Amino acid sequence: MMIDCHHPSSMKDRLMFFYNFLRSPGQVGSITPSSRALCKQMVAPIDWEQAHTIVELGAGTGIFTKWIEQKKKPEAVLISFEKETKMRNRLEPLFPDVRFHEDAVDLNRVLSEAGLDKADCILSGLPFANFPQELRDQIMDQVYHALKPGGVFVAFQYSLQMKKQLSSVFEQVSVKMVPLNLPPAFVYICRKDDGKGVG
C-alpha cells in the first residue's frame, strides 16, 4: 500500500510549521515539514513485525506519526512527544490511538506509568543542534535507558554535529544522507547492544 508522507492538509501543515518555526526556531528546527524521501529512510531500519512499543520524539505536524501508524502492527503502542502545545492539540484528534505527551525528558517516567515495556524503537525529529548540551544529554540518557537491548534509535538532523555524541552513547551508529529533502538531511541509525555479547 502506498503511504502518503504528507497529511491531506499539506499547505496548512506547512504554514503551521513555518509559523511555529518563526515563534520557536529552537524547538521546531526547520522551516518546512519533512519529505517523502526522508520519511522512507526514517522508517526503513525498523522491524515493524517485532515492534510492540514505539516512541516518537518531536511529532511536529504528524508526518512521521502517520507513517508509523500505517507501518506498525495494530496492537503496537505508539507514544509520541511534542513540546509545542498548538501542534500537540491539533495532532490528538487526528491520531486518537496515539498517546501524546509534552516533554521527551519524561520519556522513561511516561513508559513506566503507562505500564509499558522498554521501547523497541524510538524515532526522533528533534532539532538537537538547536538544544543546549545539557538538554541533549538529558534526552539521550532518556532515549538510551528507554530502549530495550537490541532496540534502535532513528533520528534525522541537518548536520553531522550529533555523530560524536551518538557514537559515545550507542554501540552501533550509521548515517545515511537524504539529498532529496529540503534542506538535505542526515538519518542516524543507532542500535543499543543486545546484551548477548560476541560468540
Side-chain angles (χ1 to χ4, degrees):
M1 178 176 64
M2 184 69 75
I3 299 175
D4 182 12
C5 185
H6 302 293
H7 194 270
S9 56
S10 183
M11 183 54 69
K12 185 177 179 181
D13 283 350
R14 289 172 183 272
L15 290 173
M16 175 177 273
F17 213 81
F18 183 59
Y19 170 74
N20 281 295
F21 174 81
L22 294 177
R23 287 182 62 238
S24 308
Q27 288 184 15
V28 178
S30 175
I31 294 177
T32 60
S34 306
S35 70
R36 170 182 292 273
L38 179 54
C39 291
K40 289 175 73 173
Q41 288 292 339
M42 286 289 289
V43 300
I46 310 302
D47 182 351
W48 295 102
E49 284 297 310
Q50 300 299 320
H52 302 291
T53 301
I54 304 159
V55 174
E56 177 187 29
L57 306 180
T61 60
I63 287 174
F64 293 140
T65 317
K66 185 177 181 183
W67 276 68
I68 296 167
E69 276 276 87
Q70 295 187 49
K71 284 281 191 180
K72 76 178 185 65
K73 295 173 71 174
E75 65 271 22
V77 176
L78 172 56
I79 305 286
S80 187
F81 291 83
E82 173 51 53
K83 188 82 168 176
E84 177 59 46
T85 303
K86 285 187 177 180
M87 284 186 165
R88 193 174 62 255
N89 289 345
R90 180 176 171 276
L91 290 172
E92 287 175 340
L94 292 175
F95 301 99
D97 294 330
V98 179
R99 306 180 191 184
F100 286 97
H101 295 272
E102 179 180 355
D103 200 336
V105 172
D106 296 328
L107 172 54
N108 283 273
R109 179 182 61 78
V110 166
L111 290 177
S112 176
E113 290 181 355
L116 295 169
D117 294 329
K118 297 280 189 179
D120 297 277
C121 57
I122 300 175
L123 295 89
S124 172
L126 293 176
F128 285 107
N130 296 349
F131 293 170
Q133 188 61 50
E134 182 180 2
L135 180 57
R136 284 187 224 170
D137 293 344
Q138 287 179 322
I139 294 174
M140 291 316 306
D141 183 66
Q142 288 286 316
V143 165
Y144 189 83
H145 287 97
L147 274 176
K148 73 173 188 180
V152 62
F153 173 62
V154 185
F156 84 88
Q157 299 287 286
Y158 295 113
S159 74
L160 293 172
Q161 182 177 343
M162 283 295 291
K163 187 174 183 181
K164 183 177 180 181
Q165 179 164 1
L166 289 169
S167 296
S168 71
V169 173
F170 287 94
E171 288 75 14
Q172 299 177 43
V173 177
S174 60
V175 184
K176 290 189 177 182
M177 186 178 181
V178 185
L180 296 179
N181 196 66
L182 185 65
F186 297 92
V187 173
Y188 293 82
I189 304 158
C190 312
R191 294 191 182 275
K192 184 173 180 177
D193 188 77
D194 61 11
K196 296 176 182 177
V198 178

